Amino acid sequence: MLKISELTCEYEKNPLAVASARPRFGWAIESGSVDVAQASYRLQVALDESFASPLLDTGDVASGISQFVRYSGKSLKPRTRYHARVRITDTDGDRSDWSAVCRFETSFLNEKWTAPFIATPLSLKLPKGGASYLRSEFVIGTDIESARAYVTALGLYELWINGTRVGDALLTPGWTSYSKRLAYQTYDIGSLLKPGKNAIGAVLGEGWYAGDLTWLKRRNFYGPRTALSASVRIRSAQGRERIINTDETWQSGGGPVLYSQIYHGETFDARLDDAAWCRTGFRASGWANAEAVAADASVVVPQDGPPVLRQEILPVREVIVTPKGEKVLDFGQLMSGWVAFKARGRAGDKVVLKHAEVLDADGNFYTANMRGAKNLIDYTLRGGAEESFEPHFTFQGFRYVMVEQYPGEVKGEDFSGVVLHSQMEKTLDFTCSNEMLNKLQHNIEWGWKGNAVDIPTDCPQRDERLGWTGDAQVFIGTAAYLYGVAPFFRKWLRDLKADQIADGGVPFVIPDILTPIAHLEEKLKESHSSTGWGDAAVVCPWMAYARYGDAEILAEQYASMKAWVEYIRRRARDGKIWDNGFHFGDWVALDAKEGSYFGATPNDLTATAYYAYSTRLLALSAEVLGKKKEAAAYRKLHREIVAAFRSEFFTPSGRLAARTQTSYILALVLGLVSDKNRSRTVADFVSLLDESGGHMTTGFLGTPWICRALGENGRIDYAYSLLLKEDYPSWLYQVTRGATTVWEHLDGLKPDGTMWSPDMNSFNHYAYGAVGEWMYKNIGGLSVDETGLTGEAGFKSVTFRPQPGGGITSSRIAYRSAYGTHAIDWKLDDGKFFATIDVPPNTTATVILPGKARDVTGSPRIAFSDGTDGATANIGSGTYRMECRI
Ligand code: BGC
């Protein structure tokens, strides 16, 4: 039966704050038949759920498009609930029923944000680095049709109503480039209100806004003072609206959160915790009226990224006593989040916890690599009944927790690891017959979870946790397999665009907190525009388009993408060879000089290669956006850069002049090698690899693509052998050392048990996990066109092409796109290749099997022909079983 299984509005099921007056809809189709394709759709949008008089009724629109279908009716009103439904007809003439209704509510749209920002008066002298509390009461009648709270803060806030915490989002309003974009959250508070008197309150922490940030020991990056701005809107059945805004009648005071900082943890004195503060009738001594503070309300925008939520709760695996006698909880998994605990004791007793990623070679608690981040939880008991606690405006990257103080016996069951990250749908399942690779996959996935806490961070534990552009750029291709990351990156890219330097330069970190302080810091000479880092401005929007088909992200970012390419063009010699400026280059490569972080690949080669890459993606983007002239101009520029690269970096006889692994990798993957020089380049690359025993010596820019460079050039044998190495340096070396995430350095923990300098040795850095993408495409065998050339982005059409090797005998990959599940399950047995393939309705697939067309059988029967890469067929939706002699 033909059915709409899901209708979404702007990526969400029933969104409460749609930012666009012309939102886009997408739907997934379910059917028991094969070859199902949508022939037409009919979309309705209405104020009332009966759809009696719709605002939009498209009628039957002949179109196969089922994602990003834009609302084209009368302008939507701000803060209004609408309903949408869709039905479709397929190419066989079958017609679906109406879908379930998608309820969506608009945000403020073009209305101004008017709620004042209020702060605790400075005269109260609350503890430095702690939280302040703000509260008010209001009276309402019985006629409540809907009640919403729209809330933001300079700092981080928690909202409370009548003694209940509102919503489950943490670390709100998240981290954006606050002076340019400050997000508000929308809460449905109807069920928390009661007729008569109600209490509303908020706890405010310093967070990223005013708290300690960076290794430079600075604070107040965006301003010195936290403030809250909230607007409660209560609508009666007659449509009357009551507005309750923050103002100077609100009361403010201190509370139990005496100190809470992103890096340093929290000090909480439960003796000061009076639950009545956010209930009606609270009479606090020492509280005072809040003060209004000046803030730019024009930068307030609806939240555009997913909220950070508690995602998983992990139990303690083991309570260890270390050789030094430390009592340590082992959660068995390196994660981002915090510890929730229970305790019972006397008033004034303490629970003191420290956090670590690893134990040292002797098995003792090791925190040196946290650098300046204290990650300390210091809780004072109220005394009496059992107490439970979770911190508020901080998070830790940890696997081990040292219990320095605790009243009574330390029992694992009284503690749990609360995993936090941005809400994203898990989209990938990948396994194969090699258990070590499955563990690597686990680590790659946890590397992403640990570093997707509101922004894509480098690491979650030390005094950084910043949105390093290079890391995000190399990993986005893998992230976009693992999870639905389009809204997450859309938000971050908006901040990238907001923080881009006027001349097109791209900050090292987004939100950019380095450029504004660069002139004050002796050690911070540069803060923006390194090759491979700045390219995030181009690579990330392009990947969002290629994987999700969202051309709006491209359109929004196009000016920023272009500005970056033009920035380089102005600096490059003759506009082609970028041979100046500061670059991280092939960061932390193993071919760096002893003690250096800078790999041996020459910066001009890396910078010119990436310049070519970004220019090509910009040309493709221009094409997608219908900017034909610009597309042609950037294609031409790309050809010129490639030609210049070839004459600069290849000798006349065809030898690549810079003999490093990453030089070969970039040249091969980015199409910089001429056909004439290809076989020699590949041979030279392979012989260089042999010199290091087939091990990689690459860094941030080479490592992600090393298997690809080999696999695409006839040496998939080398790619597999690299991937499957278990001795140092390799991906699986980390697995043999018990890693549960991916490390910053291939040699974070060296074979002799010593560690990299604690200066910079994170055990949870996703960048090297970027090899995941190669595994999914080549072992799993599922990919989409990322060249933009087929005009079918975002899993509308996929390729299944497993390339077995390395002794792997089976694999299963399943990816849940907006259309449904695309999956291939294959195994090798007795000289035959068996595959089961799922193609969701309204999508197509190209299947390439290792073998000859005449040797393929299966059901339903499909016609294979011999292509250059194997037996090839094009199929529509359905489930297929096939086998092939090889
Ligand atoms: C970060 C990286 C980042 C790098 C820039 C480090 O401190 O952790 O991952 O990209 O600096 O070189």
Side-chain angles (χ1 to χ4, degrees), residues 215 371 458-459 462 464 468-471 508 533 582 584 587 700 744 760 762 765 767:
W215 60 96
R371 303 194 311 211
D458 55 335
C459 58
R462 67 185 180 215
E464 286 200 60
W468 283 97
T469 44
D471 308 42
F508 293 164
W533 271 247
F582 169 85
F584 295 113
W587 186 242
F700 263 43
E744 177 172 25
M760 224 187 68
S762 148
H765 238 72

Side-chain angles (χ1 to χ4, degrees), residues 142-147 234-242:
T142 47
D143 179 10
I144 304 175
E145 161 86 2
S146 76
I234 299 168
R235 206 168 279 179
S236 70
Q238 283 77 43
R240 269 197 312 275
E241 189 176 66
R242 169 88 193 283

